[in-house]
Amino acid sequence: MRPSISRIDLAHDDFDGSYLSVDWAETQWESGGFTFAKGGRPPEVQNLGNWKKPNGKGRTLTVGVRSSSKFVRFYEKGRKEGDKESGWCRCEIEFKNANTVISPDVLLNPSEFFLGAYPCMDQFKRFGAIDAGSRFEVKRRAAVINHDAAEKWLREFHKANNRDATGRIFKSSVGAFRMAVKESGIELLPGQLTHVLRHTFASHFMMNGGNILALQKVLGHSSLQTTMIYAHLSPDHLQEAKLLNPLTRLTVG
């Protein structure tokens, strides 16, 4: 199992409030500073505390939803600690692996990912030797479909597009294969032109560790005995005979 990071929090402090404040954050939200896509819908915003008549207990502005992969909070840290005259403001960004992959690189270069979190974070570049921010990779989602569902979908697709009135999934390629065999100079016994492909598939299936019962179903054999001709090609064939024969119980001396 590969280790992964499920959450990491990054923060930046302006101890005297000379460039960072909750009012600045609100202005950035209004001007699209938290939206990467041009014309995209801005993330949800919340104003916490007394914004109409600040009482010195500290205000907070949050952008995003806590359950999402990214959430940022700006708050008057000094005032929340009890200093009503403090200008100390903190920005905290929570990254979660909800739909992104949190790269271990963030442990070595946290500032890069802090700057890359939102467009408005560009202003913090002046505090370090960093030219551009980095963003976490979005998780790739793959649809899962089983064999029966895939076969059904393919047959319906072919019928709907008049590919094959019989409902067969693939068209016959016997002619093309016959020509290729002739040009290659391979000599086959009569009646073995395409049947040799079944033998080749079955042989390699077992040599790669395939299951004999699965092979029976793929080849369409009604009897397992017919499929057993390929059993000797399995890499673990006769392993039980080596391990369970009477000689293994003999002791010498």
Side-chain angles (χ1 to χ4, degrees), residues 231-245:
H232 70 283
L233 297 171
S234 174
D236 59 354
H237 181 60
L238 298 181
Q239 285 298 308
E240 288 190 351
K242 291 169 60 179
L243 298 174
L244 304 178
N245 71 81

Side-chain angles (χ1 to χ4, degrees), residues 51-247:
W51 282 68
K52 296 294 184 181
K53 293 182 178 181
N55 53 15
K57 294 183 178 180
R59 296 172 297 164
T60 300
L61 182 135
T62 65
V63 179
V65 182
R66 289 294 297 272
S67 59
S68 65
S69 60
K70 186 170 56 179
F71 175 80
V72 61
R73 177 193 300 107
F74 298 86
Y75 63 99
E76 296 171 327
K77 177 70 172 176
R79 299 187 182 191
K80 286 185 176 294
E81 294 294 330
D83 184 354
K84 293 185 178 182
E85 302 301 323
S86 174
W88 180 9
C89 183
R90 171 174 289 184
C91 169
E92 293 179 352
I93 307 177
E94 297 178 6
F95 295 98
K96 305 182 188 69
N97 65 347
N99 64 349
T100 57
V101 179
I102 300 179
S103 169
D105 291 341
V106 70
L107 302 177
L108 300 176
N109 305 298
S111 295
E112 288 188 15
F113 292 93
F114 183 91
L115 294 177
Y118 301 99
C120 64
M121 295 302 175
D122 277 352
Q123 80 148 10
F124 299 112
K125 291 179 182 177
R126 56 193 170 111
F127 298 104
I130 300 175
D131 296 326
S134 299
R135 299 175 65 186
F136 294 120
E137 179 185 354
V138 177
K139 290 181 179 178
R140 298 178 180 178
R141 298 185 178 182
V144 179
I145 184 170
N146 59 35
H147 174 271
D148 293 336
E151 181 177 344
K152 180 181 178 182
W153 182 88
L154 282 170
R155 291 189 187 283
E156 291 176 351
F157 174 80
H158 279 263
K159 286 184 177 180
N161 292 275
N162 298 318
R163 298 292 183 90
D164 194 328
T166 64
R168 291 181 298 182
I169 297 177
F170 302 106
K171 291 184 177 180
S172 174
S173 57
V174 175
F177 182 64
R178 179 183 291 109
M179 184 177 297
V181 170
K182 183 178 180 180
E183 292 180 355
S184 67
I186 298 175
E187 296 183 3
L188 298 174
L189 295 174
Q192 294 295 310
L193 178 62
T194 56
H195 198 70
V196 71
L197 296 177
R198 284 169 56 86
H199 289 305
T200 302
F201 167 81
S203 299
H204 283 275
F205 180 87
M206 293 305 298
M207 286 189 289
N208 289 326
N211 182 280
I212 193 71
L213 295 177
L215 182 61
Q216 178 193 5
K217 185 176 181 180
V218 171
L219 296 179
H221 292 160
S222 57
S223 171
L224 181 61
Q225 192 66 32
T226 306
T227 318
M228 287 298 292
I229 61 173
Y230 300 104
H232 70 283
L233 297 171
S234 174
D236 59 354
H237 181 60
L238 298 181
Q239 285 298 308
E240 288 190 351
K242 291 169 60 179
L243 298 174
L244 304 178
N245 71 81
L247 295 177

